[in-house]
């Protein structure tokens, strides 16, 4: 297998897993911001962006909507869902001779249907959509790919990203220190 193909498959796996993990973390923490009156919104948003690897100017006041814009739909922010889905599609295009037609269509359709903004009353539905599209892509690979080197590179990318997201999830514990028991949600 060519190294460029192996690299693309590795990054497809990472980006699909990253979009899923980011959607899950954002869904829980944005809901927590709504439900817990003791959390200082600006500080919690800054901490979440920091844990996810995003930099925000100190003079900007952050709220739930700005975090959603940065980590969900900003196509130029490397930590965002939109960026991850676009990058997964781009890597699939680079490895087109190996990637199945079904996976290509899944990633291409997902990227094309990615909204440019999400209204606050549709946030949970949007995160559900991201999780479904990620599960569909993984399901296509798991059911339609032989257990060869291509599958191994894809699985390696997913596994490394899952470990990274688990570390990020544990790091978000600092966001809820004031509220204690809510962390278990």
């Amino acid at each position: 297998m060519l190294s460029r193909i192996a690299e693309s498959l590795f990054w497809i796996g990472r980006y699909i897993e990253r979009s899923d993990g980011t959607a899950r973390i954002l869904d829980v923490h944005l809901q927590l911001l709504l439900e817990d009156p003791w959390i200082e919104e600006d500080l919690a948003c800054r901490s979440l962006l920091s844990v996810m690897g995003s930099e925000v100017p100190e003079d900007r006041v952050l709220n739930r909507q700005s975090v959603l814009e940065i980590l969900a739909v900003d196509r130029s922010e490397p930590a965002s869902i939109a960026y991850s889905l676009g990058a997964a599609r781009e890597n699939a295009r680079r490895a087109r001779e190996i990637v199945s037609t079904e996976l290509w269509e899944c990633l291409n359709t997902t990227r094309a249907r990615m909204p440019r903004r999400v209204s606050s009353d549709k946030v949970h539905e949007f995160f559900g959509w991201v999780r479904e599209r990620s599960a569909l892509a993984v399901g296509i690979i798991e059911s339609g790919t032989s257990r060869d080197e291509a599958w191994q590179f894809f699985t390696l990318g997913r596994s490394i990203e899952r470990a990274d997201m688990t570390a990020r999830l544990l790091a978000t514990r600092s966001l809820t220190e004031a509220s204690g028991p809510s962390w278990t949600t």
Side-chain angles (χ1 to χ4, degrees), residues 25-41 43-48 51 168-185:
I25 288 173
L26 282 175
D27 196 14
V28 169
H29 285 282
L30 292 178
Q31 188 65 33
L32 183 63
L33 284 175
L34 283 176
E35 294 176 356
D36 193 341
W38 303 110
I39 293 179
E40 184 184 331
E41 188 172 23
L43 180 62
C45 290
R46 286 187 189 286
S47 297
L48 180 59
V51 165
R168 290 175 195 266
L169 179 64
L170 293 173
T172 60
R173 171 65 172 107
S174 64
L175 298 177
T176 57
E177 283 180 5
S179 54
S182 64
W183 185 75
T184 57
T185 59

Side-chain angles (χ1 to χ4, degrees), residues 44-56:
C45 290
R46 286 187 189 286
S47 297
L48 180 59
L49 287 171
S50 174
V51 165
M52 297 305 289
S54 295
E55 295 294 323
V56 177

Side-chain angles (χ1 to χ4, degrees), residues 9-123:
L9 293 169
F10 171 84
W11 283 104
I12 291 169
R14 277 203 78 165
Y15 284 127
I16 289 171
E17 191 69 26
R18 183 174 298 168
S19 64
D20 181 62
T22 302
R24 290 175 188 279
I25 288 173
L26 282 175
D27 196 14
V28 169
H29 285 282
L30 292 178
Q31 188 65 33
L32 183 63
L33 284 175
L34 283 176
E35 294 176 356
D36 193 341
W38 303 110
I39 293 179
E40 184 184 331
E41 188 172 23
D42 183 65
L43 180 62
C45 290
R46 286 187 189 286
S47 297
L48 180 59
L49 287 171
S50 174
V51 165
M52 297 305 289
S54 295
E55 295 294 323
V56 177
E58 290 294 322
D59 59 340
R60 182 176 175 186
V61 177
L62 296 175
N63 59 24
R64 185 175 186 268
Q65 190 61 36
S66 58
V67 167
L68 185 63
E69 290 168 5
I70 294 168
L71 291 178
V73 295
D74 186 347
R75 295 169 191 259
S76 62
E77 172 60 48
S80 79
I81 294 168
Y83 182 92
S84 295
L85 293 174
R89 181 206 175 270
E90 182 60 27
N91 278 288
R93 187 189 62 75
R94 288 186 194 135
R96 191 65 189 101
E97 62 268 21
I98 298 291
V99 171
S100 69
T101 302
E102 293 84 8
L103 180 60
W104 168 252
E105 288 175 358
C106 173
L107 294 174
N108 199 35
T109 301
T110 302
R111 174 68 173 95
R113 292 184 181 165
M114 179 67 197
R116 296 215 177 258
R117 58 185 343 162
V118 178
S119 63
S120 35
D121 60 330
K122 302 281 186 190
V123 171

